[in-house]
Amino acid sequence: MLNKVSFSKHKIIYSIVLLIALSSSLINAQWNFQLGTNQEFSSNPFRSVTPYSDFISTFNVGIEREFNDFNILYYGSYNKFAEATDIDYYWHQLGFYKETESLVWGAYFEQRFNQEANNYFNYLNYAAYVRKSFQLLSINWEANASYSSMNYSIIPDFNNWVVSTGLLGRKSFETKTTFIGSVLLNYKGFKNFSADSSYGGEFVNYLSEDVNITQLVFNGRVAQSLAENTGLALNINYKKILSGSGLSASLIESTYGNMELYDDPISQEGYSARGILTQVLPLDYTVKLSYSYADKSYPSQGIYLSETEEDLDISRKDTQTYFSTSISKSIYLDNESGSELDLKLNYYLINNKSNSYYFNYYINTISFSLNYIF
């Protein structure tokens, strides 16, 4: 269990990494660095049916070292809440990758450190991936495969591993139209599953022993240039569960920055559609408008009729609308070194409706981010 003392140590480590990044940039040009912050006000950052607002400050650092044969990288993020100060947390990732003209492969591990109030979101994840590009029938293809292992220190019942393999095709035309289609097969297994378990001191009997799940995902995208500085893109996504049901995480409350335990993308099926309009303004400001609609079902979850009543014979079903608008600008400070300053102002609205009481929520969020690359 992570106590406040150990959490403070991690903040000290974060500061040391930041100082190393700043000093190294002065003596070694082969290092690449990113420093950034995101300041966000949200009406409901925890997706609660009884919402309360908070102001979240996120501070990011990124370090990458380019070698002849491969690259190594480190990313860290400290998230601080103005009101819910007892759930501040730190996330970081360390990885390496090798890239050639047609092949990319690599591996990484990541961790999230939480305070005692929400330490059940502490996890260690490690993963490996490979992507292969090739051309066939005048189409650009990319085959990919990955493996991921997720380990929760406080709630090991949810420890899992995921194997994914997929194929993506991309074709562009002289009409400035681009078609992209992909198919992805996911298999998720739970390492320590028991039909009888406990969470929060309560005894839980899960719905099915067949929790390991196979999911098929189709994605389609068409992008069209409407004018010199205007573009429109349409995305379609369809998910189908082929076997298994997944493991219900509906007993886990939502937290900022982690969706697997609350809205696992593999343990659901349904469809979504999204439209994105992009406009480049004078002085290279970029404005984006986006709207999406999703219809999702969760075979492993029953529903909550109220705060205390449940019906395990009915599966949870959600519909969600999402709207966002943003304006961004990149300021190039040094073309030779590639240093730049990226600014972005963003607003989004999420309206989630569900037949399960605890998954009806509404979110308004406005944020400003600044990212310095050097």
Side-chain angles (χ1 to χ4, degrees), residues 67-94:
F67 295 92
N68 292 332
D69 295 328
F70 66 96
N71 295 1
I72 59 173
L73 55 86
Y74 177 86
Y75 291 104
S77 176
Y78 175 59
N79 295 264
K80 183 173 180 58
F81 299 84
E83 300 295 331
T85 57
D86 60 340
I87 62 169
D88 294 352
Y89 71 91
Y90 182 66
W91 169 93
H92 70 159
Q93 181 187 92
L94 177 66

mmCIF file of all heavy atoms in Angstrom, residues 67-94:
data_model
loop_
_atom_site.group_PDB
_atom_site.id
_atom_site.type_symbol
_atom_site.label_atom_id
_atom_site.label_comp_id
_atom_site.label_asym_id
_atom_site.label_seq_id
_atom_site.Cartn_x
_atom_site.Cartn_y
_atom_site.Cartn_z
ATOM 1 N N PHE A 67 19.966 6.621 -30.477
ATOM 2 C CA PHE A 67 21.196 5.888 -30.762
ATOM 3 C C PHE A 67 21.194 5.469 -32.228
ATOM 4 O O PHE A 67 20.215 5.657 -32.945
ATOM 5 C CB PHE A 67 21.318 4.658 -29.863
ATOM 6 C CG PHE A 67 21.456 4.990 -28.403
ATOM 7 C CD1 PHE A 67 20.333 5.085 -27.583
ATOM 8 C CD2 PHE A 67 22.710 5.204 -27.840
ATOM 9 C CE1 PHE A 67 20.457 5.380 -26.238
ATOM 10 C CE2 PHE A 67 22.846 5.507 -26.500
ATOM 11 C CZ PHE A 67 21.717 5.595 -25.693
ATOM 12 N N ASN A 68 22.268 4.882 -32.671
ATOM 13 C CA ASN A 68 22.350 4.433 -34.059
ATOM 14 C C ASN A 68 21.376 3.300 -34.353
ATOM 15 O O ASN A 68 20.776 3.239 -35.428
ATOM 16 C CB ASN A 68 23.777 3.991 -34.395
ATOM 17 C CG ASN A 68 24.754 5.152 -34.417
ATOM 18 O OD1 ASN A 68 24.369 6.285 -34.697
ATOM 19 N ND2 ASN A 68 26.017 4.872 -34.109
ATOM 20 N N ASP A 69 21.210 2.393 -33.381
ATOM 21 C CA ASP A 69 20.410 1.199 -33.626
ATOM 22 C C ASP A 69 19.011 1.261 -33.021
ATOM 23 O O ASP A 69 18.109 0.546 -33.468
ATOM 24 C CB ASP A 69 21.133 -0.038 -33.078
ATOM 25 C CG ASP A 69 22.435 -0.311 -33.813
ATOM 26 O OD1 ASP A 69 22.488 -0.001 -35.023
ATOM 27 O OD2 ASP A 69 23.384 -0.821 -33.194
ATOM 28 N N PHE A 70 18.812 2.059 -31.977
ATOM 29 C CA PHE A 70 17.501 2.112 -31.339
ATOM 30 C C PHE A 70 17.390 3.406 -30.529
ATOM 31 O O PHE A 70 18.370 4.130 -30.331
ATOM 32 C CB PHE A 70 17.278 0.893 -30.439
ATOM 33 C CG PHE A 70 18.191 0.836 -29.247
ATOM 34 C CD1 PHE A 70 17.791 1.320 -28.015
ATOM 35 C CD2 PHE A 70 19.477 0.299 -29.361
ATOM 36 C CE1 PHE A 70 18.640 1.274 -26.918
ATOM 37 C CE2 PHE A 70 20.328 0.249 -28.275
ATOM 38 C CZ PHE A 70 19.903 0.734 -27.050
ATOM 39 N N ASN A 71 16.178 3.676 -30.064
ATOM 40 C CA ASN A 71 15.908 4.851 -29.243
ATOM 41 C C ASN A 71 15.370 4.414 -27.885
ATOM 42 O O ASN A 71 14.669 3.389 -27.781
ATOM 43 C CB ASN A 71 14.879 5.759 -29.911
ATOM 44 C CG ASN A 71 15.373 6.368 -31.202
ATOM 45 O OD1 ASN A 71 16.488 6.099 -31.630
ATOM 46 N ND2 ASN A 71 14.548 7.181 -31.828
ATOM 47 N N ILE A 72 15.667 5.189 -26.848
ATOM 48 C CA ILE A 72 15.063 4.976 -25.539
ATOM 49 C C ILE A 72 14.281 6.225 -25.173
ATOM 50 O O ILE A 72 14.602 7.339 -25.622
ATOM 51 C CB ILE A 72 16.112 4.662 -24.450
ATOM 52 C CG1 ILE A 72 17.116 5.808 -24.320
ATOM 53 C CG2 ILE A 72 16.815 3.354 -24.746
ATOM 54 C CD1 ILE A 72 18.069 5.631 -23.138
ATOM 55 N N LEU A 73 13.242 6.058 -24.364
ATOM 56 C CA LEU A 73 12.406 7.199 -24.010
ATOM 57 C C LEU A 73 11.863 7.050 -22.592
ATOM 58 O O LEU A 73 11.750 5.938 -22.053
ATOM 59 C CB LEU A 73 11.262 7.355 -25.008
ATOM 60 C CG LEU A 73 10.340 6.153 -25.259
ATOM 61 C CD1 LEU A 73 9.195 6.088 -24.258
ATOM 62 C CD2 LEU A 73 9.792 6.211 -26.677
ATOM 63 N N TYR A 74 11.548 8.189 -22.015
ATOM 64 C CA TYR A 74 10.924 8.230 -20.690
ATOM 65 C C TYR A 74 9.889 9.347 -20.693
ATOM 66 O O TYR A 74 10.162 10.464 -21.144
ATOM 67 C CB TYR A 74 11.955 8.492 -19.595
ATOM 68 C CG TYR A 74 11.331 8.624 -18.213
ATOM 69 C CD1 TYR A 74 11.085 7.485 -17.441
ATOM 70 C CD2 TYR A 74 10.973 9.863 -17.704
ATOM 71 C CE1 TYR A 74 10.496 7.587 -16.193
ATOM 72 C CE2 TYR A 74 10.378 9.973 -16.449
ATOM 73 C CZ TYR A 74 10.142 8.838 -15.707
ATOM 74 O OH TYR A 74 9.542 8.932 -14.475
ATOM 75 N N TYR A 75 8.689 9.022 -20.187
ATOM 76 C CA TYR A 75 7.643 10.024 -20.026
ATOM 77 C C TYR A 75 7.121 9.949 -18.594
ATOM 78 O O TYR A 75 6.945 8.852 -18.039
ATOM 79 C CB TYR A 75 6.484 9.791 -21.000
ATOM 80 C CG TYR A 75 6.838 10.052 -22.445
ATOM 81 C CD1 TYR A 75 7.062 8.999 -23.326
ATOM 82 C CD2 TYR A 75 6.963 11.357 -22.923
ATOM 83 C CE1 TYR A 75 7.396 9.237 -24.648
ATOM 84 C CE2 TYR A 75 7.300 11.604 -24.245
ATOM 85 C CZ TYR A 75 7.515 10.542 -25.105
ATOM 86 O OH TYR A 75 7.859 10.774 -26.408
ATOM 87 N N GLY A 76 6.869 11.114 -18.021
ATOM 88 C CA GLY A 76 6.311 11.167 -16.686
ATOM 89 C C GLY A 76 5.233 12.224 -16.607
ATOM 90 O O GLY A 76 5.275 13.237 -17.317
ATOM 91 N N SER A 77 4.243 12.005 -15.738
ATOM 92 C CA SER A 77 3.124 12.930 -15.610
ATOM 93 C C SER A 77 2.659 12.966 -14.154
ATOM 94 O O SER A 77 2.334 11.924 -13.565
ATOM 95 C CB SER A 77 1.964 12.480 -16.515
ATOM 96 O OG SER A 77 0.837 13.314 -16.342
ATOM 97 N N TYR A 78 2.657 14.161 -13.587
ATOM 98 C CA TYR A 78 2.157 14.362 -12.219
ATOM 99 C C TYR A 78 0.837 15.114 -12.288
ATOM 100 O O TYR A 78 0.745 16.182 -12.898
ATOM 101 C CB TYR A 78 3.182 15.138 -11.391
ATOM 102 C CG TYR A 78 2.683 15.495 -9.999
ATOM 103 C CD1 TYR A 78 2.290 14.501 -9.112
ATOM 104 C CD2 TYR A 78 2.611 16.824 -9.583
ATOM 105 C CE1 TYR A 78 1.833 14.816 -7.847
ATOM 106 C CE2 TYR A 78 2.161 17.150 -8.314
ATOM 107 C CZ TYR A 78 1.775 16.139 -7.450
ATOM 108 O OH TYR A 78 1.307 16.447 -6.202
ATOM 109 N N ASN A 79 -0.210 14.560 -11.668
ATOM 110 C CA ASN A 79 -1.552 15.118 -11.732
ATOM 111 C C ASN A 79 -1.988 15.582 -10.351
ATOM 112 O O ASN A 79 -2.023 14.794 -9.398
ATOM 113 C CB ASN A 79 -2.540 14.070 -12.264
ATOM 114 C CG ASN A 79 -2.245 13.688 -13.698
ATOM 115 O OD1 ASN A 79 -2.842 14.215 -14.626
ATOM 116 N ND2 ASN A 79 -1.308 12.767 -13.893
ATOM 117 N N LYS A 80 -2.334 16.869 -10.260
ATOM 118 C CA LYS A 80 -2.676 17.485 -8.980
ATOM 119 C C LYS A 80 -4.086 18.066 -9.052
ATOM 120 O O LYS A 80 -4.437 18.761 -10.006
ATOM 121 C CB LYS A 80 -1.678 18.585 -8.635
ATOM 122 C CG LYS A 80 -1.921 19.241 -7.285
ATOM 123 C CD LYS A 80 -0.809 20.191 -6.911
ATOM 124 C CE LYS A 80 -1.074 20.839 -5.550
ATOM 125 N NZ LYS A 80 -1.214 19.811 -4.500
ATOM 126 N N PHE A 81 -4.886 17.780 -8.021
ATOM 127 C CA PHE A 81 -6.273 18.225 -7.956
ATOM 128 C C PHE A 81 -6.413 19.348 -6.930
ATOM 129 O O PHE A 81 -5.862 19.262 -5.827
ATOM 130 C CB PHE A 81 -7.192 17.062 -7.569
ATOM 131 C CG PHE A 81 -7.167 15.929 -8.555
ATOM 132 C CD1 PHE A 81 -6.177 14.952 -8.485
ATOM 133 C CD2 PHE A 81 -8.119 15.835 -9.549
ATOM 134 C CE1 PHE A 81 -6.141 13.909 -9.391
ATOM 135 C CE2 PHE A 81 -8.092 14.789 -10.461
ATOM 136 C CZ PHE A 81 -7.112 13.827 -10.382
ATOM 137 N N ALA A 82 -7.175 20.385 -7.296
ATOM 138 C CA ALA A 82 -7.352 21.514 -6.387
ATOM 139 C C ALA A 82 -8.220 21.145 -5.193
ATOM 140 O O ALA A 82 -7.964 21.572 -4.064
ATOM 141 C CB ALA A 82 -7.967 22.697 -7.143
ATOM 142 N N GLU A 83 -9.265 20.341 -5.408
ATOM 143 C CA GLU A 83 -10.191 19.966 -4.337
ATOM 144 C C GLU A 83 -9.877 18.576 -3.776
ATOM 145 O O GLU A 83 -9.715 18.397 -2.581
ATOM 146 C CB GLU A 83 -11.636 20.019 -4.853
ATOM 147 C CG GLU A 83 -12.072 21.390 -5.345
ATOM 148 C CD GLU A 83 -12.113 22.418 -4.235
ATOM 149 O OE1 GLU A 83 -12.342 22.032 -3.071
ATOM 150 O OE2 GLU A 83 -11.900 23.621 -4.535
ATOM 151 N N ALA A 84 -9.813 17.580 -4.644
ATOM 152 C CA ALA A 84 -9.577 16.197 -4.217
ATOM 153 C C ALA A 84 -8.076 15.950 -4.073
ATOM 154 O O ALA A 84 -7.485 15.128 -4.776
ATOM 155 C CB ALA A 84 -10.206 15.217 -5.202
ATOM 156 N N THR A 85 -7.457 16.650 -3.124
ATOM 157 C CA THR A 85 -5.994 16.590 -2.984
ATOM 158 C C THR A 85 -5.494 15.232 -2.525
ATOM 159 O O THR A 85 -4.301 14.930 -2.683
ATOM 160 C CB THR A 85 -5.525 17.668 -1.990
ATOM 161 O OG1 THR A 85 -6.197 17.464 -0.731
ATOM 162 C CG2 THR A 85 -5.849 19.061 -2.506
ATOM 163 N N ASP A 86 -6.370 14.401 -1.963
ATOM 164 C CA ASP A 86 -5.925 13.102 -1.464
ATOM 165 C C ASP A 86 -5.808 12.054 -2.563
ATOM 166 O O ASP A 86 -5.466 10.898 -2.280
ATOM 167 C CB ASP A 86 -6.866 12.589 -0.369
ATOM 168 C CG ASP A 86 -8.296 12.412 -0.850
ATOM 169 O OD1 ASP A 86 -8.658 13.035 -1.886
ATOM 170 O OD2 ASP A 86 -9.064 11.679 -0.214
ATOM 171 N N ILE A 87 -6.078 12.431 -3.835
ATOM 172 C CA ILE A 87 -5.935 11.460 -4.922
ATOM 173 C C ILE A 87 -4.955 11.953 -5.994
ATOM 174 O O ILE A 87 -4.974 11.461 -7.128
ATOM 175 C CB ILE A 87 -7.285 11.100 -5.566
ATOM 176 C CG1 ILE A 87 -7.940 12.328 -6.201
ATOM 177 C CG2 ILE A 87 -8.211 10.442 -4.562
ATOM 178 C CD1 ILE A 87 -9.144 11.963 -7.064
ATOM 179 N N ASP A 88 -4.092 12.920 -5.654
ATOM 180 C CA ASP A 88 -3.020 13.279 -6.581
ATOM 181 C C ASP A 88 -2.227 12.018 -6.929
ATOM 182 O O ASP A 88 -2.034 11.145 -6.083
ATOM 183 C CB ASP A 88 -2.072 14.294 -5.950
ATOM 184 C CG ASP A 88 -2.737 15.642 -5.697
ATOM 185 O OD1 ASP A 88 -3.879 15.834 -6.147
ATOM 186 O OD2 ASP A 88 -2.118 16.482 -5.017
ATOM 187 N N TYR A 89 -1.732 11.925 -8.164
ATOM 188 C CA TYR A 89 -1.013 10.709 -8.543
ATOM 189 C C TYR A 89 0.076 11.022 -9.555
ATOM 190 O O TYR A 89 0.100 12.089 -10.186
ATOM 191 C CB TYR A 89 -1.968 9.649 -9.096
ATOM 192 C CG TYR A 89 -2.548 9.945 -10.453
ATOM 193 C CD1 TYR A 89 -1.920 9.506 -11.617
ATOM 194 C CD2 TYR A 89 -3.754 10.655 -10.579
ATOM 195 C CE1 TYR A 89 -2.460 9.767 -12.866
ATOM 196 C CE2 TYR A 89 -4.292 10.920 -11.820
ATOM 197 C CZ TYR A 89 -3.644 10.475 -12.970
ATOM 198 O OH TYR A 89 -4.172 10.750 -14.196
ATOM 199 N N TYR A 90 0.988 10.065 -9.715
ATOM 200 C CA TYR A 90 2.092 10.175 -10.673
ATOM 201 C C TYR A 90 2.084 8.943 -11.568
ATOM 202 O O TYR A 90 1.911 7.815 -11.100
ATOM 203 C CB TYR A 90 3.434 10.274 -9.939
ATOM 204 C CG TYR A 90 4.615 10.428 -10.858
ATOM 205 C CD1 TYR A 90 4.769 11.566 -11.638
ATOM 206 C CD2 TYR A 90 5.581 9.432 -10.974
ATOM 207 C CE1 TYR A 90 5.854 11.711 -12.502
ATOM 208 C CE2 TYR A 90 6.670 9.574 -11.835
ATOM 209 C CZ TYR A 90 6.792 10.720 -12.591
ATOM 210 O OH TYR A 90 7.859 10.863 -13.441
ATOM 211 N N TRP A 91 2.255 9.184 -12.867
ATOM 212 C CA TRP A 91 2.330 8.108 -13.871
ATOM 213 C C TRP A 91 3.623 8.281 -14.646
ATOM 214 O O TRP A 91 4.046 9.411 -14.940
ATOM 215 C CB TRP A 91 1.143 8.204 -14.822
ATOM 216 C CG TRP A 91 1.258 7.332 -16.038
ATOM 217 C CD1 TRP A 91 0.782 6.065 -16.207
ATOM 218 C CD2 TRP A 91 1.891 7.669 -17.282
ATOM 219 N NE1 TRP A 91 1.078 5.585 -17.460
ATOM 220 C CE2 TRP A 91 1.766 6.554 -18.141
ATOM 221 C CE3 TRP A 91 2.561 8.795 -17.745
ATOM 222 C CZ2 TRP A 91 2.274 6.549 -19.436
ATOM 223 C CZ3 TRP A 91 3.082 8.779 -19.037
ATOM 224 C CH2 TRP A 91 2.929 7.671 -19.868
ATOM 225 N N HIS A 92 4.290 7.155 -14.972
ATOM 226 C CA HIS A 92 5.468 7.259 -15.821
ATOM 227 C C HIS A 92 5.624 6.026 -16.689
ATOM 228 O O HIS A 92 5.032 4.969 -16.428
ATOM 229 C CB HIS A 92 6.729 7.533 -14.990
ATOM 230 C CG HIS A 92 7.181 6.384 -14.143
ATOM 231 N ND1 HIS A 92 8.462 6.268 -13.676
ATOM 232 C CD2 HIS A 92 6.527 5.289 -13.674
ATOM 233 C CE1 HIS A 92 8.591 5.171 -12.955
ATOM 234 N NE2 HIS A 92 7.433 4.573 -12.942
ATOM 235 N N GLN A 93 6.434 6.191 -17.748
ATOM 236 C CA GLN A 93 6.644 5.128 -18.729
ATOM 237 C C GLN A 93 8.098 5.154 -19.194
ATOM 238 O O GLN A 93 8.649 6.217 -19.479
ATOM 239 C CB GLN A 93 5.724 5.315 -19.930
ATOM 240 C CG GLN A 93 5.853 4.246 -21.011
ATOM 241 C CD GLN A 93 5.039 4.583 -22.247
ATOM 242 O OE1 GLN A 93 5.537 5.197 -23.187
ATOM 243 N NE2 GLN A 93 3.765 4.182 -22.242
ATOM 244 N N LEU A 94 8.704 3.989 -19.265
ATOM 245 C CA LEU A 94 10.061 3.838 -19.773
ATOM 246 C C LEU A 94 10.031 2.804 -20.894
ATOM 247 O O LEU A 94 9.458 1.725 -20.736
ATOM 248 C CB LEU A 94 11.000 3.367 -18.661
ATOM 249 C CG LEU A 94 12.451 3.083 -19.065
ATOM 250 C CD1 LEU A 94 13.155 4.376 -19.498
ATOM 251 C CD2 LEU A 94 13.208 2.435 -17.906
#
